[in-house]
């Protein structure tokens, strides 16, 4: 039903583990040529080898999205290896906990620098190639935290994730004349290494507050990103797609059946 993405050039930042790896896996299974980006070269290379599984279409690059030079390297590598860029999944992110009263300016810069500035720099660096594609697609990984909900200990994170949507909407307008769509997926709680670090208590309490009674999988987010990247989603832009098992729907625990 959907036009195949086989052979498309896809960049996924923060893809050496977690949600980004899940997104990269879904695109690789769809036959795309995928560039996996993370700061740690060994982890990124291992993820690429695992997802490639002999296909010869998944490779890795060590780069930091908070650094303009890193983003330039990402765009150059994808263009050189794949002949262009059709899809950019700006997914790299971090979520260290810290109460507002305790956050330093450096803590705030760190989170905003990767999550918000990193998203902007990634898309900016890939723009010439996305324009050349003729049907460029940008899929940003935001979150329900910030745009829809709050969570004590994550003021800087919530601000970065809401900020990504502000960026998305104006970028969608600026890039529409080039046929580029800019959308976001907003995961709820997805079982990743990063989330696992928050502890068993957090995971159990989170599952209980989700109407579908489970945490998301990285593939759940990958399929949403894949949809937004299809030709058939070409009339959707500036849209925030919540993928959360219904987590933001109930007014309270009592509201759930
Ligand atoms: N897990 C959830 O439940 C959840 C929910 C909502 C939204 N999200 C969002 O989903 C995205 C991924 O989260 P996750 O849970 O999958 O995290 P994760 O498991 O900690 O993975 C983060 C990935 O990003 C990379 N990364 C971090 N900083 C980077 C930088 N400056 N430059 C390049 N790569 C960088 C990491 O590799 P290196 O450390 O090697 O760089 C890793 O590949 C984030 O944007 C997060 O906000 C997650």
């Amino acid at each position: 039903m959907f036009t195949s993405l086989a052979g498309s050039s896809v960049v996924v930042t923060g893809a050496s583990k977690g949600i980004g790896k899940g997104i990269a896996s879904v695109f690789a299974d769809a036959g795309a040529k995928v560039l996996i980006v993370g700061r740690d070269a060994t982890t990124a290379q291992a993820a690429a080898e695992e997802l490639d599984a002999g296909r010869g279409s998944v490779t890795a690059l060590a780069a930091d999205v908070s650094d303009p030079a890193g983003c330039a390297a990402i765009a150059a590598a994808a263009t050189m290896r794949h002949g262009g860029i059709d899809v950019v999944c700006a997914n790299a992110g971090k979520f260290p906990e810290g109460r507002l009263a305790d956050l330093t300016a450096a803590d705030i810069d760190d989170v905003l620098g990767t999550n918000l500035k990193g998203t902007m720099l990634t898309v900016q660096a890939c723009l010439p190639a996305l324009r050349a594609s003729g049907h460029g697609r940008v899929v940003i990984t935001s979150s329900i935290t910030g745009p829809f909900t709050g969570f004590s200990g994550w003021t800087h994170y919530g601000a970065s994730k809401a900020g990504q949507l502000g960026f998305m909407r104006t970028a969608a307008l600026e890039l529409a004349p080039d046929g580029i769509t800019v959308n976001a997926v907003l995961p709820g709680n997805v079982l990743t290494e990063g989330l696992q670090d928050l502890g068993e208590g957090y995971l159990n309490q989170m599952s209980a507050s989700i109407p579908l009674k489970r945490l998301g999988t990285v593939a759940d987010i990958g399929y949403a990103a894949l949809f937004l990247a299809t030709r058939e989603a070409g009339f959707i832009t500036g849209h925030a797609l919540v993928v959360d098992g219904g987590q933001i729907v109930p007014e309270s625990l009592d509201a759930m059946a």
Side-chain angles (χ1 to χ4, degrees), residues 13-21 37-41 43-44 63-67 74 90-95 113-115 141-145 157 160-161 164 185-195 197 202 218 221:
T13 66
S16 56
K17 55 185 177 171
I19 288 175
K21 188 175 171 191
V37 179
R39 287 164 305 173
D40 182 72
T43 320
D64 184 342
V65 299
S66 68
D67 175 6
I74 293 167
N91 167 83
K94 53 171 62 171
F95 35 92
T114 293
N115 298 3
T141 307
S142 173
S143 175
I144 59 169
T145 309
Y157 178 76
S160 74
K161 294 283 132 180
Q164 285 179 307
V185 288
L186 279 59
N189 281 269
V190 176
L191 196 52
T192 61
E193 295 91 329
L195 204 77
D197 290 345
Y202 176 93
V218 294
I221 310 306

Side-chain angles (χ1 to χ4, degrees), residues 87-158:
V87 182
V88 173
C89 297
N91 167 83
K94 53 171 62 171
F95 35 92
E97 186 178 1
R99 291 268 171 168
L100 179 59
D102 305 321
L103 291 179
T104 65
D107 293 332
I108 297 169
D109 281 346
D110 181 42
V111 169
L112 293 177
T114 293
N115 298 3
L116 180 54
K117 189 175 85 172
T119 295
M120 296 180 69
L121 291 174
T122 301
V123 176
Q124 186 187 48
C126 294
L127 255 188
L130 286 169
R131 283 199 172 108
S133 151
H135 46 82
R137 297 277 183 272
V138 175
V139 183
I140 296 164
T141 307
S142 173
S143 175
I144 59 169
T145 309
F148 286 102
T149 64
F151 207 124
S152 298
W154 280 277
T155 51
H156 48 350
Y157 178 76

Side-chain angles (χ1 to χ4, degrees), residues 3 5-6 15 38 47 50 69 97 128-129 134 158 160 176-177 206 208 213-214 221 230 237:
T3 306
L5 276 139
E50 180 191 330
E97 186 178 1
S160 74
M206 255 323 148
K213 296 295 175 209
R214 67 170 175 88
I221 310 306
T230 59
T237 196

